[in-house]
Amino acid sequence: MQAEARTQAQYEGIRCDSFQWRLDGIFDNSPWRENPLSSWKTIQSNIPNRYQAALAQGAFCNFNLQEKNIKTILQSRNPNGFTGGTKPSHSYSIIH
């Protein structure tokens, strides 16, 4: 018997100016569902599953502004060069 493929995804937002994130909606093998309890939460850098901090510091934010150049974002997400908070890609090696 072959296992059925399952698709899961989350749609999240990141605010660079306040270093916050929120969960806007989810997809779990069904239509997208908006998260009615969505609220902005502070991005935590010191928790085990800290992907929001890694993405904000390593790709999406340029200091406290949103990075708008898609080429820069995609280059920042390259696994060979992604820093994820160890050395933010757009802050001239200054760690906040």
Side-chain angles (χ1 to χ4, degrees):
M1 180 178 259
Q2 193 171 20
E4 184 177 323
R6 185 172 182 94
T7 302
Q8 295 178 315
Q10 291 186 175
Y11 182 78
E12 297 183 10
I14 290 179
R15 294 182 66 183
C16 296
D17 60 343
S18 59
F19 207 58
Q20 294 178 309
W21 75 280
R22 76 174 180 188
L23 174 63
D24 291 320
I26 60 171
F27 179 86
D28 186 7
N29 249 17
S30 61
W32 282 99
R33 293 188 310 242
E34 186 177 342
N35 180 3
L37 302 176
S38 181
S39 63
W40 292 103
K41 298 175 181 80
T42 300
I43 294 174
Q44 302 292 318
S45 296
N46 58 351
I47 59 174
N49 188 8
R50 55 180 213 75
Y51 63 91
Q52 293 100 347
L55 288 170
Q57 293 172 329
F60 297 146
C61 301
N62 182 347
F63 287 102
N64 63 347
L65 303 174
Q66 177 185 356
E67 178 59 60
K68 294 183 178 9
N69 184 321
I70 190 67
K71 185 176 179 183
T72 300
I73 291 171
L74 292 174
Q75 286 175 338
S76 296
R77 291 184 60 230
N78 180 334
N80 296 323
F82 184 70
T83 59
T86 305
K87 184 177 175 185
S89 60
H90 309 300
S91 64
Y92 305 101
S93 301
I94 299 169
I95 299 174
H96 305 264

